[in-house]
Amino acid sequence: MYSTRRNWLLALDLLLTLLVTSMQADTSEPDKIVLSGSNVTLQISKGPPGNATHVTWLYTTNQKIVEHNPNIPPKYFNSVFKDRVKLDLQSNALHIYHVQKSDSGTYYFRILKNGEEMQWEIPLKVLDPVLTPIINIEKTEELDGNCYLRLSCVVNQSADYLWYKDSVPFPKELQRNTLEATVTPQNQSKSYSCQVSNLLSSKNDTVYFTPPCTLARSTGVKWMANWLAVMMPTILGLLLISDELF
C-alpha cells in the first residue's frame, strides 16, 4: 500500500511539474532585439484575455512603468521611461520611444481578471549600431617573392569580424580581429576588407593592395598603378619621338 501511495505521489509531482512548465512556456515571449535610438512596441503574441480589470507594465519585477484600469486614464510612474512610453488602450501594447542600451532587460505584462492575476515576460535586448572599423597596417614584408601581411581591425565595441580578399571571405578559422596572410603572385587580391557586425548592423573598412607588397588606405595607389599601366606605352612613345626630333 505504501508503494502504491508513493507511486501516486510521484505521478502527481510529475503532473504538476509538466503543468508549471507548460504555463511558463505560454507566458514567456521570444527575445526582442532592436537598435538603440529606435522605437519599439512590446506586446504579447497571442493577445491577453479580454475584460481585464487591471493592467500593469513593469521593467523587472520591481519597477512599474504604467498601470491602467478601465475608464480611468493610465497612470505613468516616475521612472527612467517617463515621457518615453505610451500605453495603447485598445491592445494594451507598450510603446517605448528612443530606446537605450540601459533599457535592455525583462519586461512584465500583468493583468487582473476575475480576481486572478496573469503575467507574461518579454525580454528586450538593445544593441548599439556598430561603429566603422579602422584597418591598421601592422606589417608588410617581402619574403622570397611573396608578401607577408599582418592587419588588425579596430573597433571599440563588441562585434563579430569577417575578413574578405576582394569579395571572397577568408576561411572561418581566420575570422578574428587580426589577419595574417601570405600573398603569392598566384593568390594576389586587389583589396582586403574587414567587416564588423552585430545582429542588426554592420560596417567595413578596406585597404588596397599593389604588388609586390604595398598597401594603402584609399584607391589612390590602385588608381595610380592602373593609370601608369595604361599611360606607360604613350609616355615611352612620346620620349622616342622627342629623341628623334632632337
Side-chain angles (χ1 to χ4, degrees):
M1 182 174 179
Y2 173 78
S3 177
T4 301
R5 182 180 178 185
R6 182 171 180 274
N7 289 340
W8 272 105
L9 289 174
L10 289 173
L12 181 60
D13 184 63
L14 177 61
L15 181 61
L16 290 173
T17 301
L18 292 173
L19 180 60
V20 170
T21 302
S22 175
M23 290 175 64
Q24 288 175 343
D26 288 342
T27 58
S28 182
E29 295 289 314
D31 289 8
K32 199 172 188 68
I33 305 174
V34 297
L35 284 175
S36 59
S38 63
N39 304 326
V40 63
T41 298
L42 302 181
Q43 60 187 135
I44 60 176
S45 54
K46 295 181 180 179
N51 302 319
T53 56
H54 189 77
V55 170
T56 307
W57 277 98
L58 304 93
Y59 175 67
T60 74
T61 55
N62 300 318
Q63 184 175 332
K64 288 184 179 180
I65 301 174
V66 59
E67 284 183 339
H68 180 236
N69 294 316
N71 305 317
I72 299 176
K75 178 183 178 181
Y76 293 94
F77 290 83
N78 187 20
S79 69
V80 295
F81 300 96
K82 191 174 183 181
D83 302 324
R84 291 196 297 124
V85 292
K86 183 178 180 181
L87 180 69
D88 188 317
L89 301 183
Q90 298 298 318
S91 66
N92 289 318
L94 182 69
H95 304 292
I96 308 177
Y97 305 100
H98 308 297
V99 292
Q100 308 159 11
K101 281 196 71 174
S102 58
D103 295 335
S104 297
T106 302
Y107 291 75
Y108 294 87
F109 174 64
R110 292 176 183 168
I111 65 169
L112 188 64
K113 180 181 179 182
N114 300 327
E116 180 182 358
E117 185 178 83
M118 302 177 68
Q119 176 175 281
W120 288 261
E121 299 178 10
I122 304 179
L124 175 67
K125 187 173 185 178
V126 182
L127 302 176
D128 286 333
V130 293
L131 303 173
T132 301
I134 297 175
I135 296 178
N136 285 340
I137 304 169
E138 295 186 355
K139 187 176 184 180
T140 59
E141 182 179 357
E142 286 189 66
L143 297 171
D144 300 325
N146 299 328
C147 179
Y148 173 73
L149 307 177
R150 185 166 68 219
L151 311 175
S152 62
C153 189
V154 180
V155 61
N156 295 323
Q157 61 187 151
S158 176
D160 295 321
Y161 296 87
L162 188 59
W163 286 94
Y164 292 86
K165 50 181 179 180
D166 295 333
S167 57
V168 180
F170 277 90
K172 186 176 181 180
E173 60 269 18
L174 298 179
Q175 301 301 349
R176 48 186 180 269
N177 67 317
T178 300
L179 174 70
E180 297 187 40
T182 300
V183 182
T184 67
Q186 292 74 33
N187 72 353
Q188 290 178 1
S189 300
K190 296 178 181 178
S191 63
Y192 294 85
S193 300
C194 172
Q195 176 181 287
V196 295
S197 63
N198 57 25
L199 292 174
L200 299 177
S201 63
S202 65
K203 294 285 181 64
N204 60 72
D205 189 25
T206 299
V207 291
Y208 296 89
F209 180 79
T210 302
C213 198
T214 301
L215 284 171
R217 300 204 51 81
S218 70
T219 57
V221 170
K222 180 184 175 185
W223 177 87
M224 181 62 72
N226 292 337
W227 182 85
L228 287 174
V230 172
M231 294 300 297
M232 187 58 71
T234 303
I235 294 172
L236 291 175
L238 291 173
L239 289 174
L240 290 174
I241 293 173
S242 178
D243 287 343
E244 292 174 359
L245 290 176
F246 294 97

